Amino acid sequence: MPRVLCVAGARPNYMKIKPVMDALERRGAEVLLVHTGQHYDPAMNDVFFADLGIRPPDRFLGVGSGTHAEQTGRVMTAFEPLLGEVSPDLVVVVGDINSTVACALVTAKAGPLLAHVEAGLRSRDWSMPEEVNRVVTDRVSDFLLAPSPDAAENLRAEGYRDDQIHLVGNVMIDTLLANLDRAKASGILDRYGLTRGEYGLVTLHRPANVDDPEILAALLKALGEIAGRCPLLLPVHPRAAGRLGDVGVPGGIRLVPPAGYLDFIALQDSARVVLTDSGGIQEETTALGVPCVTLRDNTERPITVEQGTNVLAGRDPARIVSTVNRVLDDPPAPRRPELWDGRASERIADVLLAGAAASTRPRPTDHGRTPPI
Ligand code: UD1
């Protein structure tokens, strides 16, 4: 059975890597978890490990924050010797954060097979660092594990071979479905004094929305107008924390600390509407059948618009207000895309173990580290 090194670095990775690790272990693979430390605050980290029942990482790289180059470079520098030491047959990276692309680049040059979970998503917006990370990670991966038919189609259009592309479904939904009952019992609505269906939930963290005070102020003004009709709850991401204080938050918008996984699923599940600039939340709201208004001009997850409850509102304040009003008057019908069935990680484990067994690449234990070209 292969030795598999799984990589996680930041909040949106944990719920994606957990079911993949479990499915691989159930089939007898030796699984190791490395945490790069891109996110390090307890509210962004420890609570997710506890909620999801992830065991402590086998290695912690502790890279922390920095510019994109600093963060990516630090992950690469710390990951390279680890890879040499652990000699995995296969490395699994998830999502689109800086840790994903950093570990992918190191792996591609070092020799092990590389799998990308959530391959093929494309916003076609090169101003998003995540788009760069996605495209580069896919380019150097051996196994491209696509969550939706549009993602598989993007990969085909970019010239990847059919035998690299595996349409497996969405692992985030595996974790969501596995934890939904526990989430509903989290008690967060009582703790915040909220009533199901009577509040809106907001998340904001993209640099394009929160880094420029003028843009953030305009967004908050729009949210203030919406709050007049539907009170809003906003769990604050560390990136946005200081800036929200500087700009000033209108009445009707309640700021709370970042929520843990179970609490946040419960908050989404009971919300009348969710307003977000996140990627994963577009998917979770679609799976839960809760209306979602995305505060971005584009999405790498178009299936949530075509087959789910997501509506793109862009970043123009007047359009955001009119879109939310329309969604509150006439909520989109709940539908769940095919293969978002809670079994994506099982399909992934089958693909990876069959692929590793069939691979003719020399095992790292046979050849040590690949010498530089
Ligand atoms: C990262 C990901 C983004 C993902 C998001 C989810 C990249 C390029 N971006 O963005 O795709 O949607 O995580 O949260 O990888 N900070 C803390 N505590 C922490 C983590 C970060 O205070 O635990 C602060 C940092 O000091 C920094 C800011 O938050 O100033 C941004 O953190 P960073 O990990 O660089 O990017 P995110 O905006 O969180």
Side-chain angles (χ1 to χ4, degrees):
M1 271 292 168
R3 173 180 287 185
V4 185
L5 188 60
C6 292
V7 176
R11 188 169 67 174
N13 283 171
Y14 309 139
M15 64 293 274
K16 296 174 192 168
I17 203 71
K18 162 75 173 156
V20 177
M21 289 172 62
D22 287 351
L24 286 167
E25 277 179 343
R26 274 196 293 277
R27 286 160 178 76
E30 182 192 355
V31 176
L32 295 158
L33 175 63
V34 55
H35 187 320
T36 66
Q38 175 170 342
H39 279 179
Y40 43 85
D41 282 357
M44 304 292 284
N45 251 306
D46 308 20
V47 63
F48 278 76
F49 274 67
D51 277 359
L52 295 168
I54 309 179
R55 62 164 191 259
D58 298 286
R59 292 298 174 90
F60 185 72
L61 304 182
V63 300
S65 300
T67 65
H68 285 280
E70 286 166 349
Q71 196 171 55
T72 308
R74 267 191 246 133
V75 176
M76 291 180 74
T77 308
F79 189 66
E80 188 177 48
L82 171 67
L83 208 51
E85 182 195 325
V86 171
S87 277
D89 300 285
L90 172 69
V91 173
V92 179
V93 296
V94 298
D96 56 16
I97 66 169
N98 288 338
S99 300
T100 310
V101 70
C103 294
L105 285 172
V106 172
T107 304
K109 293 186 184 178
L113 294 164
L114 176 64
H116 184 204
V117 174
E118 214 180 74
L121 297 187
R122 298 288 183 265
S123 66
R124 300 184 174 81
D125 175 356
W126 288 99
S127 71
M128 284 177 75
E130 293 83 357
E131 182 71 356
V132 179
N133 295 345
R134 288 179 201 117
V135 170
V136 174
T137 302
D138 285 344
R139 187 64 192 84
V140 295
S141 292
D142 300 289
F143 301 96
L144 297 165
L145 302 155
S148 50
D150 57 279
E153 191 46 50
N154 288 336
L155 293 167
R156 272 192 286 275
E158 289 174 22
Y160 291 96
R161 300 188 312 272
D162 279 346
D163 66 321
Q164 284 179 286
I165 305 169
H166 306 275
L167 175 56
V168 289
N170 190 326
V171 287
M172 269 195 105
I173 309 309
D174 291 12
T175 301
L176 174 68
L177 297 179
N179 288 287
L180 191 52
D181 288 344
R182 287 173 66 224
K184 284 180 176 171
S186 88
I188 185 81
L189 267 68
D190 289 344
R191 271 179 275 141
Y192 281 158
L194 296 167
T195 305
R196 184 174 169 85
E198 293 190 3
Y199 65 93
L201 179 66
V202 183
T203 78
L204 281 179
H205 79 284
R206 298 226 88 76
N209 282 340
V210 303
D211 283 2
D212 179 330
E214 264 181 48
I215 293 176
L216 183 59
L219 267 177
L220 286 170
K221 193 164 168 285
L223 294 179
E225 251 182 79
I226 294 161
R229 179 169 177 195
C230 175
L232 298 178
L233 186 79
L234 198 172
V236 180
H237 187 281
R239 173 181 278 282
R243 291 166 180 119
L244 285 170
D246 296 343
V247 169
V249 178
I253 306 175
R254 184 169 156 200
L255 304 187
V256 293
Y261 181 76
L262 296 174
D263 286 347
F264 195 73
I265 295 295
L267 288 171
Q268 287 187 75
D269 184 52
S270 286
R272 184 170 173 201
V273 63
V274 175
L275 282 70
T276 189
D277 61 2
S278 148
I281 293 169
Q282 298 171 46
E283 298 178 337
E284 288 172 341
T285 45
T286 274
L288 292 168
V290 172
C292 179
V293 175
T294 293
L295 309 175
R296 288 171 42 188
D297 296 315
N298 51 57
T299 178
E300 60 289 333
R301 293 161 161 94
I303 194 166
T304 60
V305 176
E306 285 147 22
Q307 296 184 30
T309 53
N310 190 18
V311 181
L312 279 188
R315 298 191 296 133
D316 172 64
R319 191 169 149 218
I320 291 171
V321 174
S322 65
T323 306
V324 173
N325 279 329
R326 184 160 47 83
V327 165
L328 290 176
D329 291 338
D330 185 16
R335 287 164 299 169
R336 189 178 294 168
E338 213 189 329
L339 296 183
W340 291 23
D341 57 356
R343 299 192 51 78
S345 48
E346 303 294 342
R347 290 186 280 269
I348 287 174
D350 287 341
V351 165
L352 296 185
L353 294 185
S359 170
T360 52
R361 192 175 302 182
R363 291 171 67 91
T365 40
D366 300 334
H367 72 144
R369 287 181 58 202
T370 311
I373 303 165

